Amino acid sequence: MMYKSLFLATLVVFSGCAQQEHHSNLDGKKLLEQKCSQCHNTDLPPKTFADEKAPPMMAVAFHIKDFIHASSESDKIPKAIEFVKDYVVNPSASKSFCDKQSLKEYGVMPSQKGKVTQDELQAIAEYMFSHYTLQNLTQAQMLENRLAKMPKGKRLALQNGCLSCHKINKDLVGPSFHTIAKRYDGKMTTIEQSIKNGSSNKYKTSRGAVMPAFAKKISDQDIKVLSEWIVQR
Ligand code: HEC
Ligand code: HEC
């Protein structure tokens, strides 16, 4: 849905620093997942599928910000929120900002009247226009790129919070992965067991701090990958 042109316009809108007038107390992120994600992919960056039921939410948000009529930059987000609140219960081909071809492929959105309240929509729309921003997209893409380039063991260590207690070459709360690798000299069994079940009192440098158990949080297969990565440090 014309991503490239959307990006530029969004940049302009957000450097204008539009403030929303009143904030909803409802959890827009959760409501978006509950009420909209069965048709709209909500990931940032979005995942697209050949047989998707609707455009990804990021595209919808960018689209609306791009095409909404407003008297000034600061009026754009409030107008965009009003558009969402109306469109979801009263959708039509003539109101949609979707290009004709996409509209034909997806069909007009079925009205969600009765399935979502105006208060909930206020929260959802506020979340949409604060979360799906060029800045957040760029950040998410940079993180994805960085993660994709890492060895899988390191990525798992980062994603599971291991690196908040362990460093590769320096004792922190937990012993360095280098220290652990040396201790077991290439043998993974104890390392795997300790990641699964936790560990305590083996390392003086940890001064009584405890290694938490991860068996419930990380699959056996990923624990193996982590262990292989650690013994090579
Ligand atoms: C049953 C599937 C379905 C559900 C559920 C759904 N949508 Fe949609 N939506 C679509 C389809 C299909 C389109 C694209 C066609 C169109 O523009 O009407 C669309 C389009 C839209 C548009 C207009 C996009 C544009 O570019 O003009 C908005 C706004 C929107 N959806 C918001 C929402 C929100 C918010 C929710 C959750 C409260 C939601 N939708 C739930 C199917 C769905
Ligand atoms: C809250 C802090 C903390 C987190 C998070 C943490 N660890 Fe530890 N880890 C420790 C401490 C403390 C020790 C030392 C325990 C001891 O003295 O036996 C340790 C020890 C270990 C050991 C050595 C165990 C042994 O038997 O010699 C391994 C391997 C290990 N951690 C891997 C990991 C991995 C992989 C992760 C992420 C999935 C992780 N740790 C997350 C604190 C942590």
Side-chain angles (χ1 to χ4, degrees), residues 7-18 73-74 133-135:
F7 288 175
L8 287 174
T10 312
L11 189 65
V12 175
V13 173
F14 272 83
S15 54
C17 207
E73 282 301 310
S74 63
T133 63
L134 184 63
Q135 202 184 6

Side-chain angles (χ1 to χ4, degrees), residues 87 92-94 96 98-108:
Y87 195 83
S92 73
S94 60
S96 175
C98 234
D99 60 282
K100 291 229 156 54
Q101 185 56 37
S102 310
L103 206 53
K104 220 162 115 190
E105 282 163 19
Y106 294 126
V108 175

Side-chain angles (χ1 to χ4, degrees), residues 23-71:
H23 281 282
S24 170
N25 296 322
L26 298 170
D27 186 342
K29 178 185 164 89
K30 210 159 131 191
L31 286 164
L32 180 80
E33 287 304 326
Q34 283 168 356
K35 312 260 178 181
C36 318
S37 67
Q38 67 269 42
C39 297
H40 296 277
N41 178 269
T42 56
D43 292 333
L44 182 71
K47 294 193 177 62
T48 51
F49 306 95
D51 60 345
E52 64 193 9
K53 289 192 200 144
M57 218 26 129
M58 185 194 82
V60 171
F62 279 15
H63 222 189
I64 295 171
K65 274 186 297 198
D66 231 25
F67 292 114
I68 197 83
H69 293 290
S71 51

